[in-house]
Amino acid sequence: ASICVQGSLAGIMFGLRHFREVSLTSMSAFALRQTLVVSFLRLGFGLPGIVIGWGIGDSLYSLALFAFVRKFLGPIRLGFGFSYLMRFSMPLFFGDVATYASTWFDRALLLPLVSLSQLGAYNVAVTAFGLLASMPGAVSGTLFPYYSRFYSDKNKVSETEDLEYAIRKASRYLSLFAIPLAVGMAATALPAVSLLAGSSYLDAAYPLAILSISLAIGCLAQALSQIFVVLGRTGTSGAVTIGSVSISLLLGIAAVPYLGILGASLSRGVSLLISLALAISILRRILKLRFDLRAYTSAWIASLAMAGIVLIAQMFFYSKYLLPVYVAVGGLVFFLALRSLHSVTQEDLELVSDFLGPNLIFLANWMKKLLGVKVDIDSTRQPL
């Protein structure tokens, strides 16, 4: 029951723009949960100990979020009827059920068809991909209050135009952030898996690369993940989620028996692209949907140059212990490619400066020199 309310409470906190409280509470709850799990296992509780540890950690996380919500909003009062709440939330509930199913359907398909070692390797790939996807996913979570600032249910032309502009800006920064991150993970999948998980899980490298490339191609979906809720079209939001998961499940049923863990990774990756395609096809009838395709293209060109250099380096000087070197070289190539493409503007660096704050202003100055952007970054500016 506590898990069911976490998403709603966290969403309220995002809407109030109290991101720090959510982050600190989440990290504390995770640390407590893992500590309890390890403690109960050492005491010999076994599987029940794991469940108890999860239950206590999740319950305390929900209580902490509830306490923060009550602190900032006061006693909870419903300003609308229960029937309205059900009509609004039920499609999202079914969408969340489909999302939950998407987290395990590929592994369920693999279980009777592959060895436990391959299943373990695929689980490593999915876990690593989950960490990778959580980074642009966190950006997606903050877009809900950002979009909500520009739009209400009055359907004013000015509000619609503001929302369209916000989507375009979000697509720009998601492209410049998510594409190099995902392509870089694909290019370094083999040494990353070997170093972090061990040589027994080398089969995870190719599924991880496939999933990472899928995320890079479909990263614009993160700019649209909250848009239907902002528009009040929760039924459409649920339908898009259910549709993408259902198609991916059918693809998995067809591909997994023949391709094994590669087929499972393809089916999971395709779900990201299907979700993006469905969202675009529907939103084009509601908004003048425009992405920053110049930033998207530039990010891909720079990322492919980065990946090419990194893969060549691995061909001649391969070692899993050189992973930090591959990352550093790839990052340098990416920034130099962006510089040659003139893809980064003064506004971009000012945003980075505001985000980093005065204590990390030196990083913004370093990026300014590396990217060749002429902008005076004031260390006295306050972050947004």
Side-chain angles (χ1 to χ4, degrees), residues 183-184 187 302-312 333:
V183 173
S303 297
L304 289 175
M306 170 190 69
I309 295 297
V310 170
L311 290 174
I312 291 173
V333 171

Side-chain angles (χ1 to χ4, degrees), residues 346-377:
Q346 175 178 336
E347 183 183 1
D348 297 333
L349 281 183
E350 288 176 348
L351 179 65
V352 171
S353 174
D354 290 335
F355 176 76
L356 293 175
N359 293 330
L360 297 176
I361 197 70
F362 68 93
L363 293 177
N365 285 317
W366 177 80
M367 292 178 63
K368 177 190 71 172
K369 295 177 181 178
L370 188 61
L371 294 168
V373 178
K374 295 181 179 180
V375 52
D376 293 327
I377 299 177

Side-chain angles (χ1 to χ4, degrees), residues 106-107 109-123 200-201 203 256 260-261:
D106 44 359
R107 280 168 280 194
L109 293 173
L110 285 170
L111 187 60
L113 298 173
V114 302
S115 64
L116 290 179
S117 62
Q118 282 194 310
L119 184 61
Y122 182 72
N123 189 63
S200 301
Y201 296 98
D203 287 343
V256 167
I261 60 176

Side-chain angles (χ1 to χ4, degrees), residues 236-292:
T236 304
S237 177
V240 168
T241 302
I242 294 171
S244 62
V245 173
S246 299
I247 296 173
S248 301
L249 175 60
L250 294 175
L251 178 62
I253 292 174
V256 167
Y258 301 99
L259 299 176
I261 60 176
L262 294 181
S265 59
L266 283 171
S267 65
R268 179 179 285 272
V270 165
S271 67
L272 300 173
L273 307 182
I274 294 173
S275 177
L276 175 61
L278 290 175
I280 290 175
S281 64
I282 296 172
L283 280 173
R284 289 181 64 183
R285 305 172 187 175
I286 305 171
L287 305 170
K288 294 179 181 178
L289 191 62
R290 295 186 179 92
F291 296 118
D292 193 334

